[in-house]
């Protein structure tokens, strides 16, 4: 694995996990809709889960893929775990994209 691959994998993992942490922190554990980049983020727990899955699937999976020799048992298990994490992230993203959120009243605007 080249150093650029390692840097990119770490950046992907850290960025996605940081977004998940910010979503949970600003939403007070998922009980409120936080405003990030000027937009209300509905379903913060679902979005945080999506970012955690994507960060673990892309970033950590990318880092660990070169530990095991190709076509070994460890390589096969890791490949399946990463695939499951990425599918879970995709399903979560689709749930967020196609779910119609109820309008959230902004108390500050009232």
């Amino acid at each position: 694995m080249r150093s650029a691959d390692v840097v990119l994998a770490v950046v992907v993992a850290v960025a996605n996990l940081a977004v998940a942490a910010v979503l949970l922190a600003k939403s007070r554990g998922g009980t409120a809709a936080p405003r990030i980049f000027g937009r209300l983020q509905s379903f913060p727990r679902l979005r945080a889960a999506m970012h955690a899955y994507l960060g673990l699937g892309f970033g950590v999976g990318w880092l660990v893929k070169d530990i095991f020799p190709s076509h070994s048992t460890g390589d096969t298990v890791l490949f399946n775990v990463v695939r499951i994490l990425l599918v879970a992230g995709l399903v979560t993203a689709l749930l967020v994209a196609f779910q119609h959120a109820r309008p959230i009243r902004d108390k500050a605007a009232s």
Side-chain angles (χ1 to χ4, degrees), residues 23-93:
L23 275 169
L24 287 177
K26 284 195 167 199
S27 68
R28 295 184 294 273
T31 59
R35 188 174 292 275
I36 298 175
F37 298 121
R39 293 184 51 219
L40 282 174
Q41 303 293 318
S42 57
F43 310 109
R45 286 184 188 161
L46 200 58
R47 288 177 187 258
M50 177 191 65
H51 283 290
Y53 288 140
L54 291 175
L56 292 173
F58 279 130
V60 177
W62 199 350
L63 283 173
V64 178
K65 74 176 182 175
D66 285 338
I67 291 177
F68 301 106
S70 58
H71 305 297
S72 69
T73 303
D75 184 46
T76 304
V77 169
L78 179 69
F79 177 73
N80 290 327
V81 168
V82 168
R83 182 187 295 171
I84 289 167
L85 286 172
L86 293 176
V87 168
L90 177 67
V91 168
T92 308

